[in-house]
Amino acid sequence: MSAETVHTIIDDLGALLLFTMILIIAAAQIYRAIYAVAAQSLFIAIAGAVLAMATGNVDLWVIAGITLAVKAMVLPWVLHRVVQRMNVRREVEPVIPVGATLALAVLIVVVSFQLSASLGQVRQAITGNALPVGIALTLTGVLAMATQKTALTQMVGLFASENGIFFTAMSVTQGMPLIIEIGVILDVILAALVMAIMVLRVRSTVDADIAELARLRG
Amino acid sequence: MPETPLWVLPLVPAVTALLMLTTRDRRILSAIDVAGSAVLLSLALVLARKVASSGPQSVGFLRIDDLGLIFLLLVAVLTSAVSIYTVGWLKQALAVGNMKSELLRSYFALVHAFVATMVVTVLADNLGVLWIAMEGTTITSAVLIGYHGHQHGLEAAWKYIIVTTIGISFGLFGTVVIYAAAAAAGLQGGAGALSWSAIMKLAPTLDPGIVRIGFIFVMVGYGTKAGLAPMHLWLPDAHSQAPTPVSALLSGVLIKCALLGIIRFQTIAAAACGPAFPEGVLLVFGLISVVVATPFILAQHDIKRLLGYHSVEHVGIVALGLGFGGRIGTYAALLHVVNHGITKALAFFAAGKAIARYGSRDMRVIRGLLRVAPVGGTLLMLAALSLAGVPPFSIFVSELMVLRAGIGRGHWVAIAIFLAMVVVIFAGLLHHAGSMVFGEPAAAVSREPETWSPLLGMMLLAAIMVLLGLTIPPSFDGLLRRATEIAR
């Protein structure tokens, strides 16, 4: 594969990632947000495979495989199970109107591209537009968390945000050391499990959403 | 002197954690707890001698230099004090039903797993390993914060894990960005990539633009974990809801480990784009923290929340010291890390005992502590005096040095704000502490004698606190000076 082709594919995947991010923000039901974040992880696994083919870096194959297994399959499955166990009625509860959130998301994307355009030298170190897309995904993930009141949508936002980091990390021309990537994914799994347990624990004791508890103030 | 490889250090608390799972007996658990901490402390001291005599040691992903050593010693000393304190604290907590005996072993196992992750953060040379261990501290301590199992604890734990996980993912992004800059400047790939010492060698050739973006991401990320305002929102909740020994570890060492992460990146950024940029960023965050914490300290009624907000202020002071920069500023910041860690842990211990005695964490209920618990009351007063910055205690010394660094650099506005806030907090804190310690206790307050183990843990810390206020021992001074040269 020529460098040009890889650039084009990565840029196209970046566009798809941003599109799934919009789906997550605009999702009216928690299931849709979970499917969207699973699709996003799938695109990142594909990006990993493409970069592995292009650079001949074996580590990237492993990382793409783990991403596919963990972030596109296991974590969405865990979220799905939690939704079923919780038996939630009000699933998605935006703090501000979805339209306003989308406008903010667009603003973030524009600013991210502006910011990266001012950096010349990095072009050699990171493939295509992976840096601005990564920044935009990370920040919109935080936006999704800040504008949602329920615990599960906050978790989805968190995973989406981390996807942005993975995308950029993969696209650094030399790749991240394998052992580090594995450690990071392990942390993500553990954090997700701990969060899931907390959500279920609060649901079973006080029948409330953990993210809506607001006794501690001042 | 026996050779102790570096990787043994994180292994000690990890093995201790596993040993905890083999028994349910409270006495045996406490014995393992104290023994494990003592082994960690003695290994840390052996390592300190070795680093002092033959310079930085490194094995694989781990490396210890004088800078890391300061933080390692703080972790080891506080872990030991916490273990001693826990013996008596636990007996009391079990009696009133705050802790459940069937959950004890997992509590101890988690505490030592938490310590193990903190030891890795201070020993990490590889910036990726630093991040992984830092997220590891979040996961283990989040479970501990919600350990009492009531709704408030779980609320605090959720806020903590969500806010710090998202914060620290910014830190990972910043790490990736700086790695990309290093890769563009010719850093070799492979397992040694992302190594702090390797990136430092290249640092002057990194692209300043990209390093600036990376540093800001790192600053927000590790700053969240350090409790710098305005990312501190989780801190008062988490530090106040956790079981007291865990509060002491959170406030005393965990936020300091995050500061070490910031210092590591600050040195890279200073080499790549000049010291002015990272110093400016630290100065802004430091000032915001000091200012934001003040009104909450004054208006607080919950003693543990008060101590939590107070940690925000002191992390801000450390950031100010780093932000003023230069030899004095960095030296002052490192000294303040140690002083505040020791003193804040002591304050949490004393507050925990007072809360247990009065059955309330409301400072309007705690009255006349000196009458019912003379030793504990004295220690609480000493801790409060030191935290407020009264001479001759240790925090006064480091605050004065931060101030001197600021004057040396001519940051007059920052100094004026800093001084005003410190004076207000001084008054507020002494008012709160005075009304708790002096006066007539209510008749219903328990007058049972104080138990030895919490007092021993507290006295250990109080002794260090007083010593560091009166004089800085030459060996410790040398350590701080060498560390200052690394961090500057």
Side-chain angles (χ1 to χ4, degrees), chain A:
Chain A
M1 250 189 291
S2 73
E4 233 92 303
T5 326
V6 178
H7 265 215
T8 319
I9 297 176
I10 291 296
D11 285 354
D12 290 348
L13 283 168
L16 283 171
L17 289 174
L18 290 174
F19 177 66
T20 48
M21 200 68 218
I22 291 171
L23 291 182
I24 293 170
I25 292 175
Q29 282 174 320
I30 184 70
Y31 283 112
R32 292 194 185 159
I34 294 174
Y35 296 144
V37 85
Q40 196 178 55
S41 309
L42 178 66
F43 292 137
I44 284 174
I46 295 173
V50 169
L51 288 164
M53 259 190 282
T55 58
N57 186 343
V58 185
D59 288 358
L60 273 171
W61 281 112
V62 182
I63 293 166
I66 297 176
T67 309
L68 182 68
V70 173
K71 301 202 87 176
M73 288 145 98
V74 175
L75 288 184
W77 179 77
V78 170
L79 285 174
H80 209 276
R81 282 300 299 271
V82 175
V83 174
Q84 283 176 338
R85 287 273 294 279
M86 279 174 74
N87 191 17
V88 271
R89 294 175 297 274
R90 301 162 305 151
E91 291 173 327
V92 175
E93 223 182 310
V95 179
I96 58 174
V98 173
T101 316
L102 284 174
L104 282 174
V106 170
L107 188 70
I108 288 176
V109 174
V110 172
V111 170
S112 308
F113 275 84
Q114 279 292 337
L115 192 69
S116 314
S118 62
L119 302 166
Q121 206 193 2
V122 193
R123 287 265 174 266
Q124 304 153 20
I126 298 179
T127 313
N129 280 320
L131 183 67
V133 171
I135 295 180
L137 284 180
T138 310
L139 294 178
T140 39
V142 177
L143 180 73
M145 292 176 67
T147 55
Q148 298 284 351
K149 260 200 297 191
T150 59
L152 281 164
T153 39
Q154 288 183 353
M155 284 172 76
V156 170
L158 181 66
F159 296 147
S161 190
E162 273 173 342
N163 274 342
I165 301 167
F166 270 82
F167 186 57
T168 310
M170 277 177 176
S171 313
V172 176
T173 40
Q174 299 184 340
M176 293 278 272
L178 180 62
I179 184 95
I180 303 295
E181 293 260 18
I182 291 176
V184 170
I185 291 189
L186 207 65
D187 271 346
V188 172
I189 299 174
L190 281 175
L193 287 179
V194 169
M195 286 178 201
I197 292 168
M198 283 185 193
V199 169
L200 291 175
R201 184 117 180 244
V202 168
R203 173 66 58 174
S204 66
T205 50
V206 287
D207 192 33
D209 192 293
I210 191 165
E212 285 183 15
L213 297 178
R215 291 281 191 77
L216 302 172
R217 286 186 184 279

Side-chain angles (χ1 to χ4, degrees), chain A residues 119 121-122 125 134-135 138-139 142 145 151 154 165 174-175 179-180 183 187 199 206 210 213-218, chain B residues 61 126 132 135 139 149 151-152 155 158 162 166 169-170 173 179-180 187 189 207 209-210 213 237 241 305 309:
Chain A
L119 302 166
Q121 206 193 2
V122 193
I135 295 180
T138 310
L139 294 178
V142 177
M145 292 176 67
Q154 288 183 353
I165 301 167
Q174 299 184 340
I179 184 95
I180 303 295
D187 271 346
V199 169
V206 287
I210 191 165
L213 297 178
R215 291 281 191 77
L216 302 172
R217 286 186 184 279
Chain B
F61 292 127
N126 189 305
I132 293 168
E135 175 67 9
I139 297 167
Q151 194 185 333
H152 296 179
E155 178 189 345
W158 177 260
I162 284 286
I166 196 72
S169 58
F170 277 70
F173 200 96
Y179 172 59
L187 184 75
D207 178 48
I210 186 87
I213 294 184
D237 292 345
Q241 293 303 320
R305 284 183 83 79
Y309 276 112

Side-chain angles (χ1 to χ4, degrees), chain B residues 382-405:
Chain B
L382 284 181
L385 284 172
S386 175
L387 281 181
V390 177
F393 296 107
S394 55
I395 284 185
F396 169 74
V397 179
S398 40
E399 280 186 356
L400 198 65
M401 289 179 76
V402 170
L403 207 59
R404 210 168 80 195

Side-chain angles (χ1 to χ4, degrees), chain B residues 63 65 67 125 127 178 182 187 192-206 211 262-272 485-488:
Chain B
R63 180 170 180 274
D65 51 18
L67 181 61
D125 178 42
L127 296 173
I178 285 176
L187 184 75
L194 266 172
S195 144
W196 177 76
S197 31
I199 294 179
M200 269 314 280
K201 288 197 191 101
L202 287 171
T205 63
L206 301 186
V211 170
I262 291 176
I263 295 174
R264 295 272 186 216
F265 281 96
Q266 186 200 1
T267 52
I268 296 176
E485 288 309 312
I486 298 171
R488 203 162 65 88

Side-chain angles (χ1 to χ4, degrees), chain B residues 209-225:
Chain B
I210 186 87
V211 170
R212 270 193 209 112
I213 294 184
F215 182 71
I216 289 180
F217 268 100
V218 166
M219 194 63 211
V220 171
Y222 288 102
T224 307
K225 193 83 193 181

